[in-house]
Amino acid sequence: MFIKLFYTLRTYGVPVSTRELLDLNAALDKGLMMHPHPEDSALTTFASREDMYRLIRLCMVKDERHFDKFDRAMADYFEGVDSLDMDGLLSKLTDVPKEWLDLKLDPKNLTEEQRRLLKKYGSLEELMKALEERLKEQKERHQGGSKWVGTGGTSPFGAYGDHPEGVRVGGESRKRSAAKVWEQRKYRNLDDDSQLGTRQIQMALRNLRQFARTGSADELDIHETIKRTSKKGVLDIHMQAERRNRVKVLMLFDVGGSMDIHVEALEKLFSAARNEFKTLEFFYFHNCLYDYVWKDNDRRHSAPMPTYELLNKYGREYRVIFVGDASMSPYELMTVGGSVEYMNNEAGIVWLKRVLDHFDKVAWLNPEAPSYWQYTQTIVEIKKLVDHKMYPMTLHGVEEMTNYLAR
């Protein structure tokens, strides 16, 4: 069973093996998709479309970054919607005015006989085409009707209505009969090339791990305790040092100016790094590194730390991660006095070279999309300076960066 689905998933880039396919077939053989009949407990009914979707995803997808590819593969396999412009249609749905979906009538509840009499479109492709036409034509709010995107009616499009086949827009699931489940693509932001959330960043940063047991012996070693107790015939407790990630990380964040639009992404990155690394140091700079950095943005002028002190304090074993868009005036990077804030005595590129000379591993994480890098002179120059170890702030980019830093 599901041989075609297996190959469809592979076509869309979901890394499935025969092991996952066998697991899915075994789950079906166990009757996991059979539910008791609501009116006769002696009978069983097949699970809903959404339950089937969840079981297949559970068995076939082992990494959440592939959820989006899985959704598209499922739509193609079950409905043949690979040719539909789903992204364009979904973006139109997000533009539907909120007031069109506010419930102002009691939700419609039809009998099963009434539901059977309502028009069905026969396929998801026809249903989505009809929705696209409605969105082109509709100019105002509707409620209680049978055609437009609205509420409380029998239209297949909208919320709080009743239709055996439709696309729920807004609202909450009531009878779980909407035809559009996997095509919602709730997991688009988990794809490799999308901006990261805190948990995704933390998972990606875990590539940068080199464990060792350090410190006092204050953790119970269960295996050694069992071994010694079995050998001696009496309880012999053995303790060991906690297993810690011995990688030391120094992060330098560009703040202010063009980086303001990336504050949310930086906060997620910082939160993930704080949770992942036991030894993490961080400092701030603006646009380019010069002769000082700071720990507290409110005290940047009253409590700066000379960059020379930073180089003397932290050994070359620290992995250094610059986080910034590398976008500035070329004078800020290449010229004495080029800083927009003060008269710097040495060019920013001189200080960047000192960091590169001092530390064994230095990488640059850039929140700007790589497609723009070639059009900004300072990005091009800094990327060359760090020996092309500049990575986008995406799941794939962070993984590439940590793989380099871990070597």
Side-chain angles (χ1 to χ4, degrees):
M1 292 178 66
F2 295 113
I3 295 296
K4 183 181 177 182
L5 172 62
F6 175 80
Y7 286 109
T8 301
L9 290 170
R10 283 196 165 185
T11 299
Y12 278 82
V14 181
V16 292
S17 68
T18 53
R19 177 69 268 167
E20 283 79 44
L21 183 60
L22 292 173
D23 288 343
L24 175 60
N25 285 325
L28 293 173
D29 287 342
K30 295 292 184 181
L32 293 184
M33 283 294 97
M34 302 304 293
H35 292 176
H37 193 281
E39 297 178 359
D40 187 346
S41 58
L43 300 176
T44 57
T45 60
F46 199 72
S48 69
R49 172 189 180 109
E50 187 170 353
D51 288 339
M52 189 66 184
Y53 159 84
R54 289 175 176 171
L55 176 65
I56 295 174
R57 192 184 74 188
L58 176 66
C59 294
M60 305 293 276
V61 185
K62 304 304 182 185
D63 191 324
E64 62 187 19
R65 84 184 69 178
H66 303 301
F67 280 179
D68 178 58
K69 299 181 181 73
F70 172 77
D71 281 354
R72 288 185 282 125
M74 287 286 284
D76 188 355
Y77 176 74
F78 282 99
E79 304 291 350
V81 297
D82 55 318
S83 61
L84 284 177
D85 181 14
M86 296 300 297
D87 286 341
L89 188 53
L90 289 173
S91 66
K92 292 177 183 178
L93 289 176
T94 61
D95 295 332
V96 173
K98 186 176 182 297
E99 60 270 17
W100 286 11
L101 306 174
D102 289 340
L103 181 62
K104 296 183 179 180
L105 292 175
D106 291 335
K108 182 73 72 175
N109 288 287
L110 303 178
T111 65
E112 286 302 314
E113 179 61 30
Q114 290 172 321
R115 284 164 63 87
R116 280 195 291 270
L117 294 175
L118 293 177
K119 176 185 177 182
K120 290 187 179 183
Y121 287 84
S123 72
L124 181 64
E125 185 173 6
E126 292 300 318
L127 183 66
M128 300 308 288
K129 286 180 179 178
L131 173 59
E132 188 170 19
E133 290 299 317
R134 298 291 187 276
L135 292 173
K136 288 179 182 178
E137 300 171 3
Q138 187 165 343
K139 305 299 181 185
E140 60 185 10
R141 183 183 187 280
H142 289 269
Q143 61 181 12
S146 60
K147 176 180 179 180
W148 302 105
V149 177
T151 61
T154 57
S155 168
F157 315 114
Y160 306 108
D162 198 346
H163 196 284
E165 171 196 83
V167 178
R168 178 166 56 84
V169 182
E172 300 174 352
S173 177
R174 296 175 61 237
K175 297 194 175 182
R176 303 168 67 87
S177 62
K180 195 171 180 304
V181 179
W182 43 76
E183 296 81 12
Q184 292 176 8
R185 294 180 60 189
K186 299 176 183 177
Y187 302 101
R188 292 179 63 198
N189 63 323
L190 298 183
D191 209 348
D192 284 4
D193 297 321
S194 300
Q195 287 285 329
L196 293 168
T198 302
R199 182 172 179 273
Q200 293 169 269
I201 298 174
Q202 192 170 344
M203 296 298 289
L205 288 174
R206 287 185 180 175
N207 289 339
L208 188 53
R209 293 185 293 184
Q210 295 175 5
F211 285 112
R213 296 197 179 277
T214 59
S216 59
D218 55 5
E219 182 180 89
L220 176 64
D221 184 344
I222 296 177
H223 295 293
E224 187 64 22
T225 297
I226 293 174
K227 180 180 178 181
R228 292 187 180 191
T229 299
S230 299
K231 186 175 182 180
K232 294 183 178 180
V234 294
L235 181 61
D236 186 357
I237 295 177
H238 180 70
M239 306 298 290
Q240 63 184 355
E242 182 182 357
R243 188 169 178 262
R244 296 174 179 268
N245 186 357
R246 63 183 178 87
V247 171
K248 300 176 181 179
V249 178
L250 172 62
M251 302 187 75
L252 301 171
F253 291 90
D254 180 7
V255 292
S258 58
M259 287 298 294
D260 285 345
I261 62 173
H262 301 297
V263 166
E264 184 177 354
L266 296 188
E267 287 176 343
K268 292 177 181 178
L269 173 65
F270 181 67
S271 175
R274 285 288 292 267
N275 288 327
E276 189 60 31
F277 301 117
K278 295 292 185 181
T279 305
L280 171 67
E281 300 292 341
F282 66 93
F283 294 92
Y284 301 107
F285 65 94
H286 177 57
N287 280 1
C288 189
L289 183 70
Y290 296 112
D291 56 335
Y292 71 92
V293 292
W294 58 93
K295 196 83 169 178
D296 185 342
N297 282 303
D298 292 331
R299 302 176 61 206
R300 60 180 295 186
H301 297 298
S302 61
M305 179 180 186
T307 306
Y308 269 128
E309 184 178 332
L310 180 144
L311 297 177
N312 291 328
K313 183 174 182 179
Y314 301 107
R316 60 187 311 107
E317 74 276 8
Y318 273 82
R319 270 49 170 177
V320 178
I321 304 174
F322 281 92
V323 185
D325 58 11
S327 302
M328 65 198 87
S329 164
Y331 297 114
E332 294 181 74
L333 177 64
M334 309 298 293
T335 308
V336 171
S339 171
V340 296
E341 296 191 317
Y342 74 111
M343 189 66 180
N344 54 301
N345 295 322
E346 293 181 287
I349 195 170
V350 173
W351 287 103
L352 291 176
K353 287 180 178 178
R354 285 181 178 138
V355 170
L356 289 164
D357 290 340
H358 178 73
F359 295 101
D360 289 333
K361 291 291 184 70
V362 179
W364 193 292
L365 199 57
N366 196 326
E368 286 289 341
S371 57
Y372 295 108
W373 291 1
Q374 61 180 315
Y375 303 111
T376 304
Q377 181 181 345
T378 52
I379 295 181
V380 173
E381 293 298 329
I382 290 176
K383 185 180 178 184
K384 290 180 182 177
L385 186 67
V386 298
D387 193 24
H388 299 278
K389 300 303 186 293
M390 180 179 284
Y391 306 91
M393 197 182 296
T394 62
L395 180 58
H396 183 65
V398 174
E399 285 186 338
E400 281 195 322
M401 180 193 71
T402 53
N403 286 336
Y404 159 67
L405 293 176
R407 290 200 295 267

